[in-house]
Amino acid sequence: MEAAGLIQIGLQVLPLVTTGVTEFIAWLEALRTNLRQSGEWTAEQDAAFTAALAAKENDPRYQQDTPPA
Amino acid sequence: MKNFKLSRLLIPFSGAITGIAFGWLIASCILPLFTGCATLDPNADPFVVRTEQVQKQADATFDFLLGVDNADRGFWRTNAPAFHNFCEYLRTPIPVSPTHNSPRILAIERNVQDLKVQYKDNRSAGNSNLLYQISSELRLLVLQGNSWSNIVSTPNR
């Protein structure tokens, strides 16, 4: 599974990371948590994920560049 | 060179060397032991679990990538236009209903989520095929995103 390989690469790259260190570690942590999933999400987890996706619609990270005036 | 011992030269650095050695030991030997795949529950559908893993991975990867790009869009636009264009491709609004547009990556993630819930309700071959197609698309984007994440987080700025 590629996530396991990505974690190992990420750990080796980690000392070199200069941009977004916190986010990079959060990304590695998410991959690690991901690998530990053993069952299907519950209905509550599905609903929470859907709500989280809807909330990102207004997240500045997900907005396109504003065209020059 | 009488009574020369290499270890004397290393004494001032012994703390740092120990720290580096310990960090290397953890990174290369111990951590991989804790990152192995979990055993699947007997009642869980492997296809659903795999799809959910891709969804979660996509969520983390695109939050990270778009966050890095958003932190300094001007820098990435000038110095890594391919990366910035990839982020803009993910952000491009596409119609998800007659009255609503959504950033492309969120629309794809939402599509996977909806089809997965539909498949969980009715595990037919038709639903399975649809879910497989769209989750494969998402997985390809995640793989591309993962490549960018390792590239853009280690430049010398």
Side-chain angles (χ1 to χ4, degrees):
Chain A
M1 183 173 185
E2 68 267 8
L6 279 169
I7 292 175
Q8 302 220 8
I9 292 169
L11 287 172
Q12 288 176 356
V13 169
L14 190 55
L16 307 172
V17 171
T18 55
T19 308
V21 178
T22 320
E23 291 86 356
F24 192 84
I25 292 171
W27 174 67
L28 282 178
E29 179 58 24
L31 292 184
R32 195 182 69 88
T33 310
N34 203 2
L35 279 179
R36 303 194 143 201
Q37 182 179 348
S38 58
E40 295 177 17
W41 290 350
T42 60
E44 291 77 22
Q45 285 174 306
D46 269 325
F49 189 79
T50 307
L53 285 180
K56 282 184 192 172
E57 298 254 339
N58 298 319
D59 189 326
R61 291 175 297 181
Y62 284 80
Q63 306 306 314
Q64 272 202 308
D65 289 350
T66 45
Chain B
M1 295 300 282
K2 200 175 180 181
N3 294 330
F4 174 78
K5 284 186 179 173
L6 181 63
S7 58
R8 283 194 173 184
L9 287 174
L10 295 176
I11 286 173
F13 307 104
S14 58
I17 289 173
T18 308
I20 291 169
F22 186 66
W24 179 84
L25 182 70
I26 287 181
S28 61
C29 302
I30 299 174
L31 277 177
L33 297 178
F34 295 99
T35 56
C37 297
T39 314
L40 208 60
D41 286 342
N43 296 328
D45 183 339
F47 181 43
V48 171
V49 174
R50 182 74 185 112
T51 304
E52 288 170 348
Q53 286 178 323
V54 172
Q55 285 183 280
K56 204 68 188 167
Q57 201 176 331
D59 197 46
T61 302
F62 297 122
D63 273 359
F64 168 60
L65 277 184
L66 298 179
V68 167
D69 181 68
N70 187 52
D72 194 349
R73 292 190 187 204
F75 173 84
W76 296 113
R77 195 182 299 119
T78 310
N79 296 289
F83 168 63
H84 183 71
N85 288 342
F86 177 63
C87 292
E88 284 295 284
Y89 169 79
L90 297 174
R91 292 179 180 125
T92 307
I94 59 170
V96 289
S97 74
T99 56
H100 184 62
N101 289 347
S102 180
R104 186 191 309 270
I105 189 59
L106 291 181
I108 295 173
E109 286 189 61
R110 185 63 190 264
N111 206 348
V112 171
Q113 174 67 3
D114 290 346
L115 286 173
K116 187 198 71 188
V117 171
Q118 190 179 315
Y119 172 74
K120 275 178 159 181
D121 291 340
N122 175 14
R123 300 185 190 231
S124 66
N127 284 342
S128 155
N129 290 343
L130 280 174
L131 180 57
Y132 181 77
Q133 279 178 357
I134 188 72
S135 65
S136 300
E137 297 283 337
L138 182 61
R139 188 165 167 272
L140 285 175
L141 279 174
V142 170
L143 288 176
Q144 198 173 350
N146 284 332
S147 304
W148 276 119
S149 66
N150 279 332
I151 294 169
V152 298
S153 50
T154 55
N156 288 319
R157 297 184 66 181

